[in-house]
């Protein structure tokens, strides 16, 4: 019997375990949906690769997820979004969502209602959101995609950027606190504190796992924006528009209960993924399958 459109899973992928921060938001917002998560742990980090390589990997993984029957692709990786989303959209009619629009939206959204705050909205009455700091991979920053998106929607506003390559390596081994994390934060973020930023955008999906340490370093006056919840809302809106959402699930959103089923895949060591994934998600990751792509 053919699978009904609304029963198809949502495909989510990242260069490694970072996209689990997005998966966490998706399962919370859309608890009735099912998901296929792929972490390209054999080829992480993407931040140091050429745009051509990341673009090729993005299309390769996106097509593989579509072949596995996914109805929608969430690129849970900023680097893959800026380097490969346009190419993936060209080869499929299925919805493909990426991080940048969600991040910019989460920052600039100022309607002030509960939901927006939940989605990461940075607006705070009387405090303001500028200057803005953006931390991301070198590849994401070099693409200029974020800078253009902010310049278009908030012309002339001060934006400061910083690449934080070691953060990815720390999160990949499940290290989210401790002296190594504090040392890396100190090296990368001191410059942004000197710019007196009010908002810090986590422009790499690995970074939300460091949020407590980042917050402690930046202090209460700086609002951290994790675009994941905004992206999850956008995915829900898109499913509803396509009439493929599990409506009860949308209504039950935010209860944090009954997370949909997740099938985990990675290209590297499955035992490592299980161990680190369990630490990051705070619940056991029991089964992880392996899918290797060429280099
Ligand atoms: N998690 C990825 C991102 O959001 C990148 C980390 C990496 O592979 O360099 O950009």
């Amino acid at each position: 019997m053919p699978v009904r459109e609304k029963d198809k899973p949502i495909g989510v992928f990242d260069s490694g375990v970072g996209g689990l921060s997005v998966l966490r938001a998706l399962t919370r917002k859309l608890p009735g949906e099912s998901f296929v998560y792929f972490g390209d742990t054999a080829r992480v980090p993407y931040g140091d690769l050429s745009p051509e390589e990341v673009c090729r990997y993005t299309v390769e993984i996106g097509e593989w997820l579509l072949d596995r029957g996914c109805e929608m692709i969430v690129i849970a990786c900023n680097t893959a979004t800026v380097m490969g989303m346009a190419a993936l959209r060209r080869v499929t009619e299925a919805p493909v969502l990426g991080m940048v629009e969600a991040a910019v939206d989460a920052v600039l959204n100022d309607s002030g209602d509960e939901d927006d705050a939940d989605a990461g909205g940075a607006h705070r009455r009387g405090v303001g959101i500028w200057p803005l700091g953006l931390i991301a991979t070198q590849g994401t920053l070099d693409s200029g995609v974020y800078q253009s998106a902010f310049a278009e929607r908030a012309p002339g506003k001060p934006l400061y950027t910083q690449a934080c390559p070691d953060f990815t390596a720390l999160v990949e081994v499940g290290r989210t606190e401790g002296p190594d994390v504090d040392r890396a934060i100190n090296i990368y973020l001191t410059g942004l504190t000197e710019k007196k930023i009010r908002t810090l955008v986590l422009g790499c999906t690995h970074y939300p796992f460091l949020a407590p340490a980042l917050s402690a370093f930046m202090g209460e006056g700086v609002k951290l924006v994790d675009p994941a919840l905004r992206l999850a809302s956008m995915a829900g809106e898109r499913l509803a528009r396509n009439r493929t959402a599990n409506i009860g699930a949308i209504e039950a959103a935010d209860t944090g209960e009954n997370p949909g089923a997740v099938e985990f895949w990675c290209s590297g060591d499955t035992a490592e993924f299980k161990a680190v994934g369990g630490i990051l998600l705070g619940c056991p990751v029991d089964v992880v399958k392996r899918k290797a792509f060429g280099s």
Side-chain angles (χ1 to χ4, degrees), residues 14-15 18 44-47 76-79 137 140 168 203-206:
D14 176 48
S15 59
V44 68
Y46 280 5
C77 173
N78 292 262
T79 315
T137 67
T140 296
T168 301
C204 168
T205 54
H206 283 72

Side-chain angles (χ1 to χ4, degrees), residues 82 100 104 132 134 136-157 159-162:
V82 301
V100 178
V104 175
L132 188 78
L134 165 68
T137 67
Q138 194 61 56
T140 296
L141 297 179
D142 287 349
S143 77
V145 170
Y146 262 107
Q147 292 89 330
S148 305
F150 278 115
E152 194 176 303
R153 289 187 56 189
K157 297 289 191 188
L159 167 67
Y160 299 101
T161 61
Q162 175 65 51

Side-chain angles (χ1 to χ4, degrees), residues 111-248:
S111 67
D113 70 28
E114 281 287 283
D115 246 20
D116 292 332
D118 189 41
H123 181 85
R124 288 163 297 161
R125 282 196 178 77
V127 180
I129 55 181
W130 310 95
L132 188 78
L134 165 68
I135 52 174
T137 67
Q138 194 61 56
T140 296
L141 297 179
D142 287 349
S143 77
V145 170
Y146 262 107
Q147 292 89 330
S148 305
F150 278 115
E152 194 176 303
R153 289 187 56 189
K157 297 289 191 188
L159 167 67
Y160 299 101
T161 61
Q162 175 65 51
C164 308
D166 289 354
F167 286 178
T168 301
L170 289 163
V171 174
E172 281 297 316
V173 295
R175 205 169 305 160
T176 58
E177 57 182 16
D180 292 348
V181 169
D182 292 340
R183 201 172 309 117
I185 289 178
N186 196 39
I187 291 169
Y188 295 135
L189 297 193
T190 299
L192 292 179
T193 59
E194 287 163 1
K195 300 288 183 197
K196 305 219 177 317
I197 61 162
R198 298 275 192 195
T199 308
L200 181 64
V201 182
L202 308 182
C204 168
T205 54
H206 283 72
Y207 303 172
F209 291 114
L210 305 175
L214 288 166
S215 264
F217 182 81
M218 298 307 289
E220 274 184 7
V222 178
K223 163 95 180 176
L224 264 48
V225 176
D226 171 4
L229 281 172
R230 178 67 200 122
L231 182 64
S233 298
M234 287 165 65
E237 286 155 18
R238 189 63 186 263
L239 292 175
R241 220 181 322 136
N242 290 3
R243 297 175 191 278
T244 56
N246 290 301
I247 301 300

